[in-house]
Amino acid sequence: MSADAAEAERVLRPGSAPTLDELVQLRAEFARFMLQYQFGIREMTTKIEILREEFLHLHEHNPIEHVSARLKTPESIIDKVSRKGCDPSFEAIRTTITDIAGLRVTCAFVSDVYRIADMLSQQDDLTVLAVKDYVARPKPNGYRSLHLLVQVPVFLSDATVPVTVELQLRTIAMDFWASLEHKIHYKYDHEVPDDVVTGLARSAATAAELDTLMEDLHRRVHGDRAPGPRRGDPIVPSDDALEHLRRIRDGERGSR
Ligand code: 0O2
């Protein structure tokens, strides 16, 4: 741990009144701490965008519908630190609060959720720290999503820092349900009436059924090609992609 970090951690501890210099130091250290997570988000976003573009140009079906990222706010981190009874040191926060950097990947089909998780997990520089499969085992309220806790290396000027990023992979239907449920929880300040809880559970079951029906339709329409290529499979460009490549070869750049 650097001298700066040690000083910042001393200041973070309750009971010691920090001087102005110490506060300035703490602010700088906190900014550095958050920047690493921002870089972690950027690394992961790039990985997912690369997969998305590859699918867009070279395959018939693109499994990635939407990607969003968020960095936890300092207020939200502090709130979680006190809720979890976490030691207020950067080191403890780093290991205890694992969702400071978060990425949400929305896919069309459940099979896509697992396929993307599989592809990312096999990337050499990524370490999967934990998997929570709320698709196979939904939460009692009906929440479904596949959560991966991954560690990605961030190469700084003087060090390589492993940064933890929480990945949430879900279908459009799962995402629709989760965002509504989230809003309802806030509206009722987490005291959701029983009939609303029941309604949410019922709608979660409907969303799961919709996912099954859509996957089935997808397979029927695309036949054997529906599952799409897996990592390591030879890349077979779609007719569209071939036409695109042909046009580039023939000098019609920018025609698409
Ligand atoms: P936000 O604002 O989305 O970040 P943790 O407290 O994270 O250490 P936990 O609860 O075991 O431990 O984590 P889990 O189960 O992996 O869930 C973390 C995140 O998943 C949540 O983050 C939500 O984004 C999402 N999530 C989990 N359960 C539910 C749910 O029942 N409904 C909805 N809508 N989202 C859920 P945060 O920090 O709660 O919120």
Side-chain angles (χ1 to χ4, degrees):
M1 187 192 304
S2 70
D4 281 1
E7 182 56 25
E9 288 197 18
R10 192 188 73 71
V11 175
L12 270 171
R13 281 167 207 288
S16 60
T19 65
L20 192 61
D21 275 356
E22 287 171 340
L23 282 175
V24 169
Q25 178 117 26
L26 175 63
R27 197 176 68 164
E29 192 60 31
F30 189 68
R32 201 170 308 148
F33 179 77
M34 293 304 285
L35 204 56
Q36 291 174 2
Y37 285 98
Q38 217 165 297
F39 293 150
I41 285 180
R42 217 185 287 171
E43 292 267 4
M44 283 311 300
T45 305
T46 302
K47 283 178 178 296
I48 292 162
E49 287 301 336
I50 285 174
L51 286 180
R52 187 184 179 159
E53 267 190 53
E54 183 196 328
F55 274 102
L56 200 64
H57 293 296
L58 299 178
H59 303 298
E60 286 189 18
H61 167 63
N62 188 353
I64 301 170
E65 289 285 328
H66 181 71
V67 184
S68 63
R70 74 104 183 84
L71 188 64
K72 228 177 176 54
T73 61
E75 293 74 24
S76 178
I77 294 173
I78 291 165
D79 188 50
K80 205 157 184 176
V81 164
S82 73
R83 252 190 304 126
K84 291 205 156 200
C86 163
D87 190 41
S89 69
F90 286 118
E91 217 42 54
I93 294 172
R94 212 187 294 278
T95 47
T96 313
I97 316 295
T98 50
D99 64 344
I100 294 175
L103 240 80
R104 194 168 283 159
V105 182
T106 313
C107 301
F109 304 104
V110 175
S111 54
D112 293 337
V113 164
Y114 287 105
R115 191 169 318 124
I116 297 298
D118 197 37
M119 284 173 184
L120 289 170
S121 306
Q122 291 186 55
Q123 296 196 358
D124 293 341
D125 57 345
L126 270 194
T127 308
V128 179
L129 301 174
V131 178
K132 287 185 194 168
D133 190 347
Y134 297 125
V135 178
R137 286 169 301 280
K139 283 195 168 181
N141 63 355
Y143 177 78
R144 292 184 309 141
S145 272
L146 179 63
H147 292 192
L148 296 189
L149 209 59
V150 298
Q151 209 166 54
V152 62
V154 167
F155 299 93
L156 300 173
S157 58
D158 56 352
T160 304
V161 186
V163 176
T164 301
V165 179
E166 185 193 77
L167 276 179
Q168 295 182 354
L169 297 122
R170 46 172 76 158
T171 63
I172 301 166
M174 293 173 199
D175 192 51
F176 182 28
W177 184 91
S179 67
L180 181 66
E181 194 263 0
H182 191 256
K183 281 179 197 144
I184 288 174
H185 262 267
Y186 270 87
K187 178 166 168 50
Y188 287 105
D189 201 15
H190 305 287
E191 300 286 331
V192 183
D194 284 351
D195 59 323
V196 180
V197 171
T198 308
L200 278 169
R202 207 174 293 152
S203 60
T206 307
E209 201 184 325
L210 181 65
D211 272 336
T212 308
L213 289 172
M214 296 302 257
E215 179 101 35
D216 188 44
L217 270 178
H218 179 59
R219 280 177 198 279
R220 276 214 253 159
V221 171
H222 291 275
D224 287 344
R225 287 170 298 168
R230 293 191 152 268
R231 196 171 190 271
D233 281 358
I235 292 172
V236 183
S238 66
D239 292 347
D240 231 27
L242 275 178
E243 179 54 29
H244 179 52
L245 293 172
R246 232 175 263 130
R247 283 211 296 263
I248 291 176
R249 185 198 61 195
D250 296 343
E252 292 175 46
R253 280 167 195 278
S255 58
R256 189 174 149 134

